[in-house]
Amino acid sequence: MTLDDYLKAVERLNLWAKHYYILDDPIASDEEYDTLYHQVKAYELQNPQNIALDSPTQRVGDKVLESFSKVAHIQRMWSLEDVFDMQELQEWVERVLRGANREALSFSISPKFDGASLNLLYENGILVSAATRGDAFVGENVTQNARTIPSIPLKIAYKGRIEIRGECVIAKDDFEKLNLERLQGGENLFANPRNAAAGSLRQLDSKITAKRKLQFIPWGVGACNLVDFMDSTSKESNTAQDSFFALMENIYALGFQKSPFVELCKSIQAIENAYSHLIAKRDSYPITLDGMVVRVDSISLQEKLGFTIKAPRFACAYKFPAIEKRAKVLGITLQVGRTGVITPVAELEPIRIEGARVSRATLHNFDEIAKKDIQINDFVILIRSGDVIPKIIKSLPSLRDGTQTPCPIPTKCPICHSELLVEEKLIKCQNLSCEARVKNSIIHFASKKALNIDGLGEKIVETLFDTGKIHSIEDLFSLQSKDLEDLEGFKDKKIQNLLNAIAATRGIELWRFINALGIEHIGEGASKKLANSFGIEFYQKTYEDFIALEGFGEEMAASLCEFCKVNIQRLLRLLELISPICTTQNSTQDSKLSGKTFVITGTLSKAREEYKELLESLGAKVSGSISKKTNFLLCGENAGSKLAKAESLGIQILNEQELNAMLEGLQDSTLLLQEIR
């Protein structure tokens, strides 16, 4: 085989794969494909320097990763606003119409798949990275796994830089086969197809991902020069070039799997008809659908409408109604949370809802059980509407056969057997040494919004606790390599990475430390307020000090006082171990921005939360809406109505460079700027 023959063979294999996996129209037999594939592989073994980047042999690598690296999205991956009925859809459309020509407005409609979002970056026509959604700004680098998915082209015709966003899904039949294999192998079952898709995408061994039959269906575009892209890939008119529908048709033409039922609608009635059509197809369609995406078709109008702090104004998810199923309550067990709250959980005779095997459902509290008249051995109605956790909406007393028994309200903790405190709707274990409370406190302490200890997730904490390696939060800081060597799955590198992550918490931001303590009623926002207002001596303050803080109520202040009083020795010990840093208190008091109100709009080079955190650390307030009291508007690209309103009110408008220049002139802000960068 010559080089020219080899390149033609690669092209032929890719064409055959496209017809098989994407078009569902095979044009070659399995035998023909396998024969040519092995010829290509034999040539590559003899000529490794000539291996084509889009060769099908390059889809599965032999490398097994230790962990996933992080990768930043060029443009943020937004979430969609949910609407649940016709009235909410009409209200959403009316909001859109305020900034549009009613007669010219049209909407691009497509199914909303229940899977895992993925962001593909192509440069010079080559797939260079694939990342999970993550926190919308930074995801995990799963390029190695994405390359194994046949419906993701390794090479496309467009040579510019482009982010192509879509959903990684697994078909219902493939999901059933996968769970059957796991059942036969004694492995834990996946809860639903979305869970299976996300888990398969995050395998450290790409060969495992390759076996999972994942599909990628694009639904949008991130960073891209849209004018250049449409000019390069389309011969349509300028009107079509302003169309999201046309944009997606050009994406599909690059070799991507086309989303079914995509159409243009020019009225609410047409949208409702499309919605009814999709609901009718919902059960029979091979992939789980949980709604329909409604998007303004005009790209220029999308840019004009812009974004809220969480979602685009030009698109929404019209969710399907919840699926109801009947299930039998076999028993009611009790869970003990971090704060000691006892939560009853219904143990159900297993049923399937939208591909998910459901055997448990939270009952929230005993008032809920009484209100819904739920007894053990009752039949109940269960719903799941795109949520991982199902919900019991009512019992069916008419089906009782005399075997039903009420669920008694507990008087003792199911874990430590201490007396429980009944507090209106809540029942609580007051024993701070209760194993369930301690374990959940450690899990919270290490979590992302707390100390963010990489590698110390829920399962690892449970393993360490259940094997007696740790008994309290403080024990984390005395762990040594020898303590972890005998644990299953803990190799030298994993052990060292975990110990390094724990050590790296020393000198962490004070607000993270406060949030990690798990004080009842004190969340992330309150923790930042405490750190900014009082600094490291926050625990020495009084009820009057706390209640004087903006946003602090009596419950919060009382809870904080009680916690600091009861846990003072532990607090002092943890402060000694971690030495959290508060660089914000003096700068807050001295800052010229203290008391100033900012609003942030448009697409920025950094996450809005980072700028919000920095501005608040300097004493400024960050609001979500423009008013006469607004002092500054921080404005990025694709700014919407906030920019126009700020201009009409004469509010000072800053871009990122101007804000940074302003901050660099403030006392103590240089260090903060370095931190945000």
Side-chain angles (χ1 to χ4, degrees), residues 378-425:
D378 258 347
F379 282 98
V380 295
I381 296 297
L382 201 69
I383 64 167
R384 179 179 179 269
S385 179
D387 299 317
V388 175
I389 301 173
K391 180 182 179 182
I392 293 174
I393 57 171
K394 64 179 180 180
S395 64
L396 299 171
S398 62
L399 298 180
R400 289 176 180 163
D401 58 7
T403 64
Q404 287 69 31
T405 56
C407 177
I409 296 176
T411 57
K412 293 184 182 296
C413 173
I415 305 300
C416 68
H417 309 296
S418 61
E419 292 291 329
L420 295 175
L421 172 70
V422 179
E423 214 178 51
E424 294 184 359
K425 291 184 178 181

Side-chain angles (χ1 to χ4, degrees), residues 323-342:
I323 289 180
E324 295 187 359
K325 286 288 183 77
R326 191 174 77 176
K328 187 175 185 180
V329 178
L330 301 179
I332 295 176
T333 56
L334 305 174
Q335 289 183 341
V336 184
R338 170 174 54 86
T339 60
V341 173
I342 307 292

Side-chain angles (χ1 to χ4, degrees), residues 93-332:
V93 171
E94 286 302 317
R95 290 199 299 271
V96 169
L97 286 171
R98 291 175 199 155
N101 179 345
R102 185 180 294 264
E103 288 72 28
L105 192 63
S106 59
F107 298 91
S108 176
I109 305 299
S110 61
K112 185 176 183 299
F113 296 103
D114 197 14
S117 293
L118 191 63
N119 185 39
L120 307 177
L121 175 62
Y122 289 85
E123 291 181 347
N124 198 31
I126 303 299
L127 175 67
V128 296
S129 77
T132 60
R133 184 181 184 278
D135 65 357
F137 300 97
V138 177
E140 289 183 315
N141 188 340
V142 293
T143 309
Q144 171 170 284
N145 293 339
R147 293 174 69 87
T148 72
I149 301 173
S151 49
I152 293 179
L154 303 180
K155 187 177 180 181
I156 60 176
Y158 179 61
K159 301 302 180 185
R161 186 176 72 167
I162 184 171
E163 287 181 315
I164 296 176
R165 274 92 188 255
E167 208 73 4
C168 224
V169 296
I170 186 168
K172 295 173 185 174
D173 288 348
D174 291 329
F175 171 72
E176 293 290 344
K177 290 174 187 174
L178 175 59
N179 260 353
L180 181 60
E181 290 172 6
R182 293 176 73 83
L183 184 64
Q184 292 169 345
E187 299 177 90
N188 292 332
L189 301 185
F190 285 115
N192 50 57
R194 174 174 56 184
N195 179 255
S200 301
L201 200 56
R202 297 187 68 259
Q203 289 293 322
L204 294 173
D205 184 349
S206 63
K207 288 183 178 177
I208 297 176
T209 306
K211 296 176 182 176
R212 297 282 174 84
K213 296 190 176 179
L214 295 177
Q215 301 177 46
F216 176 79
I217 304 175
W219 45 250
V221 172
C224 177
N225 183 329
L226 292 179
V227 173
D228 177 66
F229 176 75
M230 296 298 278
D231 284 342
S232 302
T233 58
S234 174
K235 296 180 181 178
E236 301 292 340
S237 66
N238 289 334
T239 301
Q241 288 195 345
D242 189 41
S243 165
F244 180 81
F245 184 88
L247 168 66
M248 291 309 299
E249 288 295 319
N250 289 0
I251 294 293
Y252 304 140
L254 293 174
F256 289 93
Q257 184 170 335
K258 184 172 183 177
S259 182
F261 321 125
V262 176
E263 58 181 87
L264 278 175
C265 295
K266 297 202 172 187
S267 67
I268 290 182
Q269 186 56 54
I271 295 173
E272 189 63 21
N273 292 341
Y275 182 76
S276 299
H277 172 74
L278 273 178
I279 285 182
K281 295 279 187 181
R282 179 184 192 180
D283 291 335
S284 61
Y285 193 71
I287 298 170
T288 303
L289 309 176
D290 64 356
M292 180 177 81
V293 177
V294 182
R295 186 187 305 256
V296 171
D297 188 57
S298 167
I299 295 172
S300 59
L301 181 54
Q302 288 183 11
E303 293 173 352
K304 180 181 177 183
L305 290 169
F307 303 83
T308 68
I309 198 163
K310 292 182 179 178
R313 291 192 179 89
F314 52 80
C316 69
Y318 191 176
K319 302 299 286 287
F320 287 156
I323 289 180
E324 295 187 359
K325 286 288 183 77
R326 191 174 77 176
K328 187 175 185 180
V329 178
L330 301 179
I332 295 176

